[in-house]
Amino acid sequence: MPPTAPVTRALDSPAMAQDRPEGERYTHGYHDAILESYRRRTAEACAAFLLPRLQPDAAVLDVGCGPGTITLGLARRAQTAVGVDTSVEMVESARRLATEEGVDNAGFEVGSAYDLPWDAGSFDVVYAHQVMQHLSDPVRALREARRVLRPGGLVAVRDSDYQTMVHAPVEPALKFWLSLYHEVAEANGGEADAGRHLPGWVRAAGFADPVVTTSTTTYADAAGREFWGGMWAVRVTDSDFAEHAVSAGLAMRGDLVAISAAFQRWADHPSGFWAWLNGEVVAVRPPD
């Protein structure tokens, strides 16, 4: 059965603030360039490892749903899908998108991955895409996912592994960006290489029978280079990532400007190549 209506909390409420470990910050932020990249995400591309096991009568929870594009794709394949995000802006945007696309079996709520506002056993599937890498305690979040799953339900998580990123032509400024990204993520309480750690985290959270796969993300044509290089040319100077890097003393503004220019040169190169691995795990919530 679909989950009952959840309790919604304001993003700045004391309860929500307590849900976040001290010092934890979202590395990416919500710059327009970032949100545009999130709106490109689909269930077909980002949840392909889950879809063969998704039943049409399933109640699905999408943790860290962002603008809701993946959630709506899951809703079209399930009985109901609910997205939860800490950002009021993202939840409101997702609700508008559901209305625009006429998806009436999807809902969106403000909430924390550490304290989900649903009763135990409310869902058949809990899904999270590129979320665990931003959490200082991913095992705690996965245990909370386990709580709201019924016995026999599935958790499905997918995260990038930044250390596997390769690119050509090789530029020192882009190599510096990769090192800097790891440092900023660590300073914010996250793990840039989360993809490789997902199997261990899932097991530590009490799940069983994990099926582990990987998939690659590749940008090697003109459209892909324009998207990835152009996006990071903006993000590295104008987004929360830039503020975090400078405020933590990890980079100077001049460094970020140089990285931005390197991303633009890469985007303009006719043979530019960029790729990395994503770790994926589907596992079962065992009976208590």
Side-chain angles (χ1 to χ4, degrees):
M1 296 295 293
T4 56
V7 177
T8 303
R9 300 181 180 135
L11 181 60
D12 56 355
S13 71
M16 185 66 73
Q18 292 170 5
D19 291 337
R20 295 178 177 175
E22 184 177 356
E24 183 173 281
R25 297 197 297 178
Y26 182 41
T27 297
H28 290 177
Y30 298 99
H31 189 279
D32 286 346
I34 298 167
L35 298 185
E36 181 58 32
S37 73
Y38 291 172
R39 295 185 187 104
R40 295 165 60 107
R41 293 173 173 175
T42 66
E44 292 81 2
C46 301
F49 69 107
L50 165 65
L51 295 183
R53 299 179 66 174
L54 181 60
Q55 299 300 312
D57 61 349
V60 182
L61 175 62
D62 181 5
V63 178
C65 65
T69 54
I70 300 175
T71 318
L72 297 188
L74 296 173
R76 293 185 179 100
R77 293 168 170 78
Q79 182 175 343
T80 185
V82 181
V84 62
D85 202 283
T86 59
S87 167
V88 173
E89 177 188 0
M90 288 295 92
V91 168
E92 291 176 347
S93 176
R95 287 172 176 167
R96 287 194 299 271
L97 183 63
T99 299
E100 291 168 4
E101 297 197 1
V103 182
D104 58 7
N105 65 331
F108 298 91
E109 301 295 339
V110 176
S112 166
Y114 295 122
D115 188 13
L116 297 168
W118 288 279
D119 292 336
S122 292
F123 296 96
D124 301 297
V125 177
V126 175
Y127 167 85
H129 179 261
Q130 310 295 359
V131 173
M132 298 300 140
Q133 64 183 277
H134 299 293
L135 304 180
S136 62
D137 196 346
V139 174
R140 175 184 162 194
L142 287 164
R143 286 177 180 148
E144 180 65 356
R146 184 178 183 274
R147 182 188 68 80
V148 300
L149 275 170
R150 66 167 179 79
L154 301 177
V155 68
V157 287
R158 182 177 190 255
D159 268 275
S160 301
D161 191 314
Y162 275 69
Q163 195 58 52
T164 67
M165 286 190 176
V166 293
H167 71 274
V170 176
E171 285 216 28
L174 296 181
K175 294 176 70 175
F176 174 63
W177 167 82
L178 185 57
S179 174
L180 178 62
Y181 186 91
H182 278 82
E183 292 177 337
V184 171
E186 182 179 5
N188 287 345
E191 171 53 77
D193 302 331
R196 71 185 69 181
H197 297 290
L198 292 178
W201 291 343
V202 164
R203 286 185 180 277
F207 288 95
D209 303 323
V211 175
V212 181
T213 56
T214 60
S215 60
T216 58
T217 300
T218 304
Y219 296 113
D221 60 11
R225 287 190 292 272
E226 180 181 5
F227 162 68
W228 181 252
M231 176 185 63
W232 268 106
V234 174
R235 286 174 65 170
V236 78
T237 56
D238 296 349
S239 72
D240 284 12
F241 171 84
E243 188 276 324
H244 296 167
V246 173
S247 64
L250 300 172
M252 304 287 288
R253 291 296 307 182
D255 298 326
L256 302 182
V257 170
I259 294 171
S260 175
F263 266 112
Q264 194 57 61
R265 287 193 299 273
W266 176 85
D268 293 338
H269 198 285
S271 300
F273 175 92
W274 199 293
W276 70 87
L277 283 177
N278 301 279
E280 305 161 342
V281 181
V282 179
V284 178
R285 184 214 190 276
D288 292 326

